[in-house]
Amino acid sequence: MDYPKSVPSVGLVNGRFVDENPLAGTPGSLIPAVWGNSVTQEILGVISSAGMTPSEADNGQLIKALQTILGRSSPMRSVVTRLTTSKVLAADELGLVLIDSSAGASTVTLPAANAALGVRDVIVRRVDNSGNRLTVRADGNDRVRFHTHLAANGYPFLVLMGSGDWWHLRSDGTGVWWPLGRFDATPLGRISFDSARQVLPGGYAVLNGNLLSRSDWPWLFDLAQSSGVMVTEATRVGSEGAWTNGDGATTFRLPDIRGEFLRVLDEARGVDVNRLAGSRQADALESHNHFLPTSSGTAVRPTPSLPDSLWDLTHDVNAAPVSGTLGTTFPNAAYNSGDSVGNIGGFSTETRPRNIAYPARIKLI
């Protein structure tokens, strides 16, 4: 594209346009048709290459076309949008979207991922740490393609959980938003232990057996259904480590492993046979013998041993116990004295090893 230097025309000086000068008697420039048509065609070429239909009534098509074309090579714009309430995002608000839901539950809706939007990126990031639900929803029948191993078309929305949780999404112009990155990509349903009581951002919850709505957590319900670890609500007792089908229509229940020891499922090894995933197993002691004194002294007792004075109620140093043994009697202050070397430990309503308790978390999204 250039000035019409090679086109003979009135009022052109070296092919450039000039104004009329009445005093000098020189006319103003007349735009040559060939040049005017070529300029128009140059602009229409940009508009058409962006996949747009030229419109005589739309004076903003060139900038829209340039944005679309630039978006294809660099989908992320240097735009920061801040929200404190529910909103439908416009195309020019895509970029880094910072959302504060501390005032209440909110929904941010993405623009339609159609040809007019083209290939565009957005990072949606939560800035508050309240428990209010924050939903990022695709427009109409659009979908966000995450957890496609559970649903090939993805899901119509996602949720941001905790301050700093974020997702990086890209539209493909055909009704789909593709996740490119997120704050925490730990697999859905993964159980982990934490060293703090606070639930960390990224999509976690306490494994407390809560009832959840299937419509609020469709991907999690899909996981529960396909897990092979789901029982009915009526058979939950004894299988608290499993999912349940809730009311059978609108809800389902998380596993509850609070206060429990965990054991690896046997899965045909033959060590802990006939166990179902998520099932609870009662306390048990391995079969064993007790060694009791047959005479005074300690020669026939296993060591370390309690002194004679603690073995029986009416101790006679020259005779065998005559009225039972405190060593196998509950409670027994000699045994119930801590967990240091030389002591058995405290009596309790359960059999347990020494242990440390950490909070358990489950990945919800």
Side-chain angles (χ1 to χ4, degrees):
M1 190 66 206
D2 199 355
Y3 287 96
K5 298 176 182 177
S6 63
V7 181
S9 183
V10 177
L12 294 179
V13 178
N14 295 325
R16 293 178 178 270
F17 301 108
V18 295
D19 294 327
E20 179 184 7
N21 188 338
L23 295 179
T26 57
S29 299
L30 296 178
I31 298 177
V34 65
W35 184 86
N37 290 334
S38 67
V39 169
T40 304
Q41 193 58 49
E42 290 265 3
I43 296 173
L44 290 177
V46 176
I47 294 172
S48 297
S49 68
M52 302 167 61
T53 300
S55 172
E56 190 175 354
D58 188 349
N59 293 328
Q61 283 193 299
L62 180 58
I63 186 61
K64 293 175 185 176
L66 290 172
Q67 288 174 338
T68 298
I69 294 169
L70 290 172
R72 290 171 181 167
S73 59
S74 179
M76 178 59 71
R77 306 280 177 80
S78 298
V79 176
V80 178
T81 301
R82 291 178 170 83
L83 304 177
T84 57
T85 60
S86 296
K87 190 179 190 306
V88 177
L89 288 172
D92 59 5
E93 292 176 308
L94 298 182
L96 174 61
V97 181
L98 303 176
I99 313 165
D100 186 342
S101 284
S102 57
S106 58
T107 298
V108 175
T109 303
L110 301 170
N114 53 26
L117 181 69
V119 179
R120 291 290 303 278
D121 282 19
V122 63
I123 296 176
V124 285
R125 180 178 179 125
R126 183 167 188 158
V127 299
D128 70 287
N129 205 36
S130 70
N132 298 325
R133 184 176 174 89
L134 172 51
T135 303
V136 177
R137 182 173 291 276
D139 177 76
N141 293 322
D142 290 358
R143 288 294 182 269
V144 183
R145 290 278 176 88
F146 68 101
H147 298 325
T148 52
H149 63 295
L150 299 172
N153 290 329
Y155 296 90
F157 64 89
L158 59 91
V159 292
L160 294 176
M161 301 178 65
S163 178
D165 192 13
W166 58 267
W167 286 55
H168 182 179
L169 306 172
R170 175 171 292 173
S171 66
D172 66 359
T174 63
V176 175
W177 290 91
W178 293 91
L180 300 184
R182 53 183 294 193
F183 176 74
D184 190 323
T186 300
L188 180 67
R190 180 68 55 86
I191 293 175
S192 60
F193 291 98
D194 209 334
S195 58
R197 291 289 302 276
Q198 182 182 12
V199 178
L200 296 178
Y204 292 88
V206 179
L207 272 160
N208 55 11
N210 273 359
L211 276 173
L212 300 178
S213 166
R214 299 183 186 188
S215 60
D216 285 346
W217 305 95
W219 51 84
L220 195 62
F221 180 62
D222 286 347
L223 173 69
Q225 285 186 296
S226 64
S227 67
V229 191
M230 175 175 270
V231 299
T232 65
E233 191 72 13
T235 60
R236 178 173 179 254
V237 175
S239 295
E240 291 89 345
W243 306 87
T244 83
N245 66 350
D247 63 5
T250 63
T251 64
F252 68 108
R253 190 183 294 275
L254 289 173
D256 189 352
I257 64 171
R258 293 172 298 171
E260 302 284 359
F261 291 102
L262 301 183
R263 183 174 188 170
V264 177
L265 189 67
D266 187 280
E267 295 191 286
R269 186 185 180 194
V271 176
D272 185 30
V273 297
N274 299 323
R275 290 293 301 281
L276 297 177
S279 63
R280 173 163 46 88
Q281 193 175 55
D283 301 333
L285 286 173
E286 186 177 6
S287 299
H288 64 284
N289 293 319
H290 287 265
F291 293 90
L292 301 177
T294 58
S295 64
S296 61
T298 61
V300 296
R301 302 173 190 163
T303 57
S305 174
L306 293 174
D308 286 344
S309 60
L310 293 180
W311 276 106
D312 59 85
L313 295 171
T314 57
H315 175 71
D316 183 342
V317 73
N318 296 315
V322 294
S323 58
T325 62
L326 285 175
T328 57
T329 302
F330 175 79
N332 185 330
Y335 282 140
N336 195 20
S337 57
D339 59 359
S340 59
V341 175
N343 295 319
I344 294 177
F347 282 100
S348 178
T349 57
E350 62 182 352
T351 301
R352 65 169 182 259
R354 176 173 171 170
N355 63 87
I356 294 174
Y358 272 134
R361 305 289 182 251
I362 184 171
K363 195 71 160 57
L364 295 186
I365 182 171

